[in-house]
Amino acid sequence: MAAVFERGAGAGIPGRWHRWAAIALVVVGALRIAGTYPELSETVDEVAHVGAGMEWLARGQYTFELQHPPLARIAAATGPYLIGIRSQGQSSMWSEGRHVLYADNAYVRNLTAARLGILPFFFIASFFVWRLGRLAFGPREALGAVACFTMLPPILAHYGVATTDGPMLAMFAATVYAGVRWLEVPNVRHGAALGAAAALALASKFSAVPYLGVTAVLMFGTWLWATRGHSVAARVDSAAGARTFG
């Protein structure tokens, strides 16, 4: 982890072919995810998320359930909404979501549309895995990280269903990257990016709070540990200068 703040020798090496290889891995991962859409029926959670998201999109309100924030649910309902499905006038998110998925007697089409709303978050997560790996270590290590990420069965599984976990993970990765950049160069631009990424993570799923909290403590502690030598060197130089000109 300290390598994030004290970069290794490979961090500045250009790696264009590594980038294209990473893109290919992400595309293959996305195709593998999309290939599961017609094979797997909806999960219980998908029904609820699609129903709650459709309430927000079609009715302009969010009252079915406040256990989860709306961002991921809106993404899950965006596909069905774009193909013309609207609120089914039901009184619960479970009934609403099931009626949305079975609308027009096109179950597979509607479920695929809902799951496609989550797929962009897979690309976002992969992008920030690449960026963080390249920033910390270099293009070879970043490529390895993307390869592992896009081949992990739990990752492919979560991004293959219309739930809140995939979007939260993508925004979590964005927040970690933005946090590293802010620790390195604490300016307004990096601070705004960090705030925006953290807000999107919280808007995806409330369980982002403990994950981000623990990660922030670990990142700050690592930054203090990695930069302690620079502080000591600065004090030594200052003391030497005082003796020289004192």
Side-chain angles (χ1 to χ4, degrees):
M1 184 68 179
V4 174
F5 303 105
E6 294 184 350
R7 299 175 189 174
I13 298 176
R16 179 167 298 180
W17 76 266
H18 298 90
R19 183 183 308 148
W20 285 109
I23 291 172
L25 286 169
V26 174
V27 170
V28 170
L31 292 174
R32 294 177 67 193
I33 291 169
T36 66
Y37 293 163
E39 304 298 329
L40 302 174
S41 62
E42 88 277 2
T43 65
V44 173
D45 287 350
E46 284 181 287
V47 174
H49 296 319
V50 170
M54 185 59 72
E55 183 198 25
W56 192 94
L57 285 173
R59 301 186 197 175
Q61 58 188 30
Y62 193 71
T63 61
F64 280 153
E65 184 199 59
L66 301 181
Q67 179 182 354
H68 296 289
L71 179 60
R73 289 174 159 182
I74 293 169
T78 296
Y81 187 86
L82 289 177
I83 60 176
I85 301 174
R86 296 295 183 265
S87 173
Q88 304 297 297
Q90 302 300 306
S91 59
S92 74
M93 61 183 180
W94 308 98
S95 182
E96 177 76 10
R98 196 165 299 281
H99 278 76
V100 167
L101 292 179
Y102 283 91
D104 302 328
N105 198 29
Y107 172 77
V108 174
R109 183 202 67 180
N110 300 339
L111 181 62
T112 297
R115 289 173 172 175
L116 282 172
I118 302 301
L119 191 59
F121 292 98
F122 173 72
F123 293 102
I124 294 172
S126 301
F127 173 76
F128 283 107
V129 168
W130 163 265
R131 292 287 291 179
L132 186 57
R134 196 178 193 284
L135 176 68
F137 304 108
R140 289 174 298 182
E141 292 80 0
L143 176 60
V146 171
C148 291
F149 182 78
T150 58
M151 294 182 187
L152 280 172
I155 296 298
L156 300 178
H158 276 297
Y159 283 107
V161 291
T163 60
T164 59
D165 301 292
M168 193 280 281
L169 177 57
M171 295 302 104
F172 173 82
T175 305
V176 172
Y177 176 77
V180 170
R181 295 303 304 271
W182 181 81
L183 283 173
E184 288 195 327
V185 184
N187 56 27
V188 173
R189 181 166 62 90
H190 290 158
L194 174 58
L200 289 171
L202 293 178
S204 300
K205 193 168 187 175
F206 288 134
S207 59
V209 174
Y211 286 111
L212 291 176
V214 172
T215 303
V217 171
L218 293 175
M219 285 176 57
F220 187 68
T222 301
W223 177 79
L224 290 176
W225 179 264
T227 57
R228 74 194 188 286
H230 301 296
S231 300
V232 172
R235 289 197 295 269
V236 170
D237 291 342
S238 177
R243 288 196 298 269
T244 301
F245 297 102

